[in-house]
């Protein structure tokens, strides 16, 4: 994976959320993320979001960490918006404060293997390899045109770090 340091400003998102943890996500009977992602796309939820900054670019955000990657967290799927003026019924808002990130760009691969493999590698990294200790404020994946082919997906994963 290619690694780059980047500072990003505050960002606002509208989408769906679910509370989960990585242990539950490994158990198909308890996993919630896949069903949330499937609902988001099957019900054409992106088209219901107004004031999208980059229509068609999906963000999957991990936030509200109980502790670290082993604890509970909130999974969010949605799009970045200019404001929270109109929020469709059933949708949630999310604001991420300005933060420093280590951005990882994955190699091309099939979904979900490419994202699972990337996170497994990230979880093993030391603070030195990450360019800082994880902040556990918000981490996210960006799915744009490079993720259109589920057999050859490339995505960016942003891991929040303390400088």
């Amino acid at each position: 994976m290619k690694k780059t340091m980047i500072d990003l400003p505050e960002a606002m998102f509208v989408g769906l959320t679910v509370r989960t943890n990585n242990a539950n996500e490994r158990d198909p009977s308890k996993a919630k993320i896949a069903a949330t992602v499937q609902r988001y796309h099957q019900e054409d939820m992106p088209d219901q979001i107004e004031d999208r900054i980059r229509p068609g670019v999906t963000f999957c955000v991990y936030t509200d960490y109980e502790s670290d990657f082993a604890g509970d967290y909130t999974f969010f799927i949605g799009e970045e918006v200019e404001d929270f003026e109109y929020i469709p019924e059933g949708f949630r808002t999310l604001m991420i404060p300005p933060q420093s990130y280590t951005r990882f760009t994955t190699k091309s691969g099939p979904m979900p293997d490419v994202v699972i493999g990337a996170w497994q590698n990230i979880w093993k990294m030391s603070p030195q390899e990450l360019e800082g200790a994880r902040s556990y404020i918000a981490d996210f994946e960006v799915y744009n045109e490079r993720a259109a082919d589920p057999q050859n997906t490339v995505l960016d994963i942003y891991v929040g770090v303390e400088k």
Side-chain angles (χ1 to χ4, degrees):
M1 288 188 297
K2 181 181 171 190
K3 179 172 73 170
T4 310
M5 292 301 301
I6 188 168
D7 291 328
L8 295 178
E10 176 181 88
M12 298 184 294
F13 303 89
V14 172
L16 301 178
T17 63
V18 67
R19 192 84 177 152
T20 189
N21 61 56
N22 290 330
N24 285 346
E25 291 305 311
R26 287 189 285 276
D27 180 345
S29 69
K30 297 178 182 177
K32 298 176 182 177
I33 291 176
T36 303
V37 170
Q38 186 175 29
R39 176 178 170 226
Y40 179 78
H41 290 296
Q42 285 183 343
E43 295 180 19
D44 293 323
M45 292 185 151
D47 291 337
Q48 299 174 45
I49 300 171
E50 294 196 11
D51 299 323
R52 297 182 289 170
I53 291 176
R54 292 179 280 174
V57 176
T58 301
F59 290 79
C60 291
V61 184
Y62 305 85
T63 191
D64 295 329
Y65 286 94
E66 175 184 71
S67 55
D68 59 15
F69 69 89
D72 287 354
Y73 56 84
T74 297
F75 172 80
F76 171 95
I77 182 170
E79 291 201 21
E80 188 175 10
V81 296
E82 295 177 16
D83 57 52
F84 291 145
E85 189 172 322
Y86 174 76
I87 309 303
E89 187 174 334
F91 284 74
R92 301 286 178 255
T93 61
L94 174 67
M95 185 172 298
I96 298 176
Q99 186 171 235
S100 296
Y101 294 92
T102 302
R103 178 180 61 205
F104 296 92
T105 301
T106 67
K107 293 181 178 180
S108 178
M111 279 297 290
D113 299 348
V114 70
V115 70
I116 291 169
W119 277 111
Q120 287 174 340
N121 287 330
I122 291 166
W123 293 332
K124 295 175 190 173
M125 291 183 177
S126 69
Q128 293 77 19
E129 293 170 304
L130 283 171
E131 308 284 338
R134 290 190 60 189
S135 63
Y136 291 102
I137 295 170
D139 306 305
F140 59 91
E141 304 152 6
V142 179
Y143 295 85
N144 54 26
E145 68 280 350
R146 299 172 304 160
D149 177 356
Q151 293 305 311
N152 297 292
T153 295
V154 174
L155 63 131
D156 291 324
I157 299 176
Y158 291 75
V159 178
V161 294
E162 299 171 1
K163 280 191 155 180

